[in-house]
Amino acid sequence: MSAISAQTAFPSAEPTMTVTTEDGEQQETSYSGSAPVQASFRANPTNVGEYTPYYEWRFYTPGNEQNPTIIRYDEDTEYTFTTSGTMIIELLISFINGTDTIIYEMDEPFQVTVSESKLEFPNIFTPNGDGINDVFRAKEGYQSIVKFEAAIFNRWGRKLYEWNDPAGGWDGKFNGSDVPAGAYYFVLKAQGADGVKYNMKKTINLLRGYSEEGTTTIE
């Protein structure tokens, strides 16, 4: 009896997509979120037996199945999605044993959608220790920012602080000490996953001894 005929189950696969988010790793078949989206793909072949598997991961945009953007030939692969829009990820496997070939195709391919970018900053912040607006940072809701450089200068052009992550920000200190209340210069260079460039130069106001329990709204 040949090795092929002796095998009781055909080779197949159980591919998975694992996305890394702020909450940790999560296994998904479809994911939508802000760039960058880090994802790992595993083929998880089953019942391989005497067959040799040949893998082909195809990454393509909707409607362009015949013209994939990326092709990978490893059993497992990883990719970081930094461009807005939807990408389809499909796995094809050729299981070969001599002249016998079995083709595996996914019933439903994976899908990753990257949102368009958004990035806004306030004009005022109040580092008074009340836990409200104590740090000058991007407003909530920023998304899909793939490049980011920001810096704070005083009126004499001295750089007081810089950061390279939209989640970061300035706490109103220089060399560990509080800077005086007043106007400071904010410079930003950033880029979104959709190609939008954010070049911002503006004056921001630092207020101390200010309580936000009143009716004044910080914009």
Side-chain angles (χ1 to χ4, degrees), residues 65-199:
E65 182 177 355
Q66 301 305 316
N67 296 289
T69 305
I70 301 167
I71 298 178
R72 300 275 180 85
Y73 297 102
D74 300 315
E75 177 178 344
D76 302 325
T77 190
E78 297 181 352
Y79 190 73
T80 300
F81 299 86
T82 59
T83 303
S84 64
T86 297
M87 186 75 76
I88 308 297
I89 305 93
E90 186 174 22
L91 173 64
L92 303 175
I93 308 176
S94 297
F95 293 97
I96 299 177
N97 187 356
T99 59
D100 188 35
T101 299
I102 295 176
I103 303 297
Y104 167 83
E105 298 183 34
M106 297 177 66
D107 293 331
E108 291 289 337
F110 300 125
Q111 180 173 302
V112 174
T113 300
V114 176
S115 57
E116 294 182 349
S117 66
K118 179 181 179 181
L119 184 62
E120 298 177 328
F121 282 84
N123 296 319
I124 297 171
F125 78 115
T126 58
N128 54 14
D130 65 357
I132 303 173
N133 204 31
D134 282 335
V135 177
F136 178 79
R137 55 161 55 103
K139 291 184 178 180
E140 290 187 10
Y142 70 84
Q143 60 187 24
S144 290
I145 302 301
V146 295
K147 295 181 180 178
F148 184 94
E149 295 179 3
I152 302 292
F153 298 84
N154 64 16
R155 68 182 66 184
W156 297 282
R158 185 174 187 179
K159 184 186 292 185
L160 305 181
Y161 190 74
E162 62 182 345
W163 65 107
N164 298 304
D165 186 338
W170 181 45
D171 61 1
K173 296 180 183 293
F174 178 64
N175 289 337
S177 300
D178 291 342
V179 301
Y184 292 85
Y185 201 49
F186 171 60
V187 177
L188 168 74
K189 289 185 178 181
Q191 182 174 324
D194 48 6
V196 173
K197 294 183 178 180
Y198 298 84
N199 295 308

Side-chain angles (χ1 to χ4, degrees), residues 1-8:
M1 183 178 291
S2 69
I4 296 176
S5 61
Q7 187 164 332
T8 58

Side-chain angles (χ1 to χ4, degrees), residues 195-216:
V196 173
K197 294 183 178 180
Y198 298 84
N199 295 308
M200 190 179 300
K201 296 180 180 179
K202 70 174 185 176
T203 299
I204 63 171
N205 292 294
L206 185 159
L207 304 180
R208 295 196 186 278
Y210 177 89
S211 173
E212 296 191 41
E213 294 180 356
T215 58
T216 303

